[in-house]
């Protein structure tokens, strides 16, 4: 079985490709549409909203495939009264009447109740189908999962920052599958640090982007990983991970040695 087989995104019941596409790096619409045909159906209209992803969404929908697409729109505002306005503006630019996921962005503590209430109201009105949360406080996800409000989480996870293996994944794993929030990870390359040959420990080869994504997707708790590509060539290279299997213990050990070295400062 390849690592690229589609997976159910936790309690949402959505079937997703193992790689999701982020809007912020500049890959053109044609490349994103090509990835969509490979099963990458999770489109994150993030904080840097470049036209490539928007045009890809419009083109895919014009071909009658809206139901096969999962569109994620974040809200970073801390003003509940501004949430619907911000969200509606994003929908207009994408040419959509609704989004699939409303993501409450970058919370390291429980969002204020006014924010949660407004998100739930937007869900009730049909502006979104699911509510997600992102942040860097790994222990928070396990606590919030017990409340049953959030349908999925966006979690930082890579070979340098692997603390979710202790602080998050075990607690989500205790939840019944039909109640477990979906797990989407980001920053698999640690903003490119994992691919810097000048930062490698002695005697270790430098990971490729595909290695970074494969490391993340080899963890059984991870449903999907977001990728950011600057051009069509980078995105096609990333897609190669879909044809490969999970990492062996030897490969995982290599990635952890590299990640541990970088976490310690990457000196020597």
């Amino acid at each position: 079985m390849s690592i690229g087989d589609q997976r159910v995104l936790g309690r949402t019941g959505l079937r997703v490709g193992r790689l999701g596409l982020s809007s912020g790096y500049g890959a053109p619409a044609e490349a994103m549409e090509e990835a969509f045909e490979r099963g990458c159906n999770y489109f994150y209209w993030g904080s840097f909203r470049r036209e490539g992803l928007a045009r890809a969404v419009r083109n895919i929908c014009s071909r009658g495939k809206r139901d096969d697409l999962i569109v994620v729109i974040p809200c970073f505002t801390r003003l509940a009264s501004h949430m619907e306005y911000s969200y509606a503006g994003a929908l207009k630019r994408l040419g959509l009447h609704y989004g699939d996921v409303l993501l409450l962005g970058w919370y390291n503590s429980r969002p204020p109740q006014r924010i949660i209430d407004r998100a739930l109201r937007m869900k009730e009105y049909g502006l979104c189908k699911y509510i997600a949360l992102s942040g860097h406080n790994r222990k928070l996800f396990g606590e919030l999962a017990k409340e049953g409000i959030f349908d999925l989480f966006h979690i930082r996870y890579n070979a340098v920052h692997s603390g979710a293996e202790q602080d998050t994944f075990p607690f989500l794993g205790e939840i019944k599958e039909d109640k477990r929030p979906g797990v989407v990870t980001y920053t698999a390359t640690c903003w490119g640090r994992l691919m810097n040959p000048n930062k490698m420990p002695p005697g270790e080869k430098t990971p490729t982007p595909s290695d970074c994504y494969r490391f993340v997707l080899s963890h059984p708790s991870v449903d999907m990983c977001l990728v950011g590509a600057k051009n069509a060539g980078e995105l096609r290279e990333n897609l190669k991970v879909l044809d490969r299997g999970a990492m062996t213990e030897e490969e995982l050990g290599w990635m952890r040695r590299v990640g541990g070295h970088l976490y310690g400062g990457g000196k020597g």
Side-chain angles (χ1 to χ4, degrees), residues 14-184:
L14 297 168
R15 294 199 67 83
V16 294
R18 300 303 305 282
L19 295 179
L21 305 179
S22 179
S23 65
Y25 294 85
E30 294 78 11
M32 294 193 175
E33 292 173 58
E34 182 180 327
F36 174 77
E37 295 302 325
R38 290 288 312 276
C40 300
N41 58 342
Y42 191 94
F43 281 43
Y44 175 65
W45 184 235
S47 51
F48 296 100
R49 295 175 172 176
R50 302 185 188 275
E51 179 60 20
L53 186 139
R55 187 154 63 88
V57 167
R58 294 194 296 267
N59 290 344
I60 291 167
C61 292
S62 72
R63 298 198 296 270
K65 296 186 176 182
R66 174 63 182 96
D67 290 344
D68 299 324
L69 192 61
I70 301 165
V71 177
V72 186
I73 300 175
C75 275
F76 293 100
T77 180
R78 269 35 181 178
L79 297 175
S81 59
H82 286 192
M83 288 172 61
E84 291 177 44
Y85 176 80
S86 171
Y87 195 84
L91 289 177
K92 183 177 181 180
R93 188 169 169 189
L94 292 168
L96 300 177
H97 296 296
Y98 69 92
D100 297 282
V101 179
L102 162 63
L103 181 136
L104 304 183
W106 211 325
Y107 282 92
N108 291 324
S109 59
R110 188 182 188 276
Q113 192 60 44
R114 66 181 185 279
I115 297 290
I116 293 176
D117 289 343
R118 185 59 62 100
L120 291 171
R121 190 170 80 176
M122 292 168 67
K123 182 177 181 179
E124 180 183 353
Y125 289 170
L127 289 174
C128 64
K129 297 180 179 179
Y130 306 99
I131 301 174
L133 181 115
S134 70
H136 286 179
N137 181 355
R138 296 184 297 259
K139 294 182 178 180
L140 177 66
F141 298 111
E143 297 171 6
L144 292 181
K146 299 174 184 176
E147 295 189 37
I149 296 171
F150 296 98
D151 302 297
L152 60 151
F153 296 124
H154 280 212
I155 300 171
R156 181 179 67 167
Y157 174 57
N158 54 58
V160 180
H161 303 109
S162 60
E165 294 175 356
Q166 293 79 41
D167 296 337
T168 307
F169 298 155
F171 301 99
L172 297 182
E174 295 174 356
I175 302 172
K176 290 184 178 180
E177 187 61 26
D178 62 344
K179 301 293 184 183
R180 178 185 68 84
V183 174
V184 176

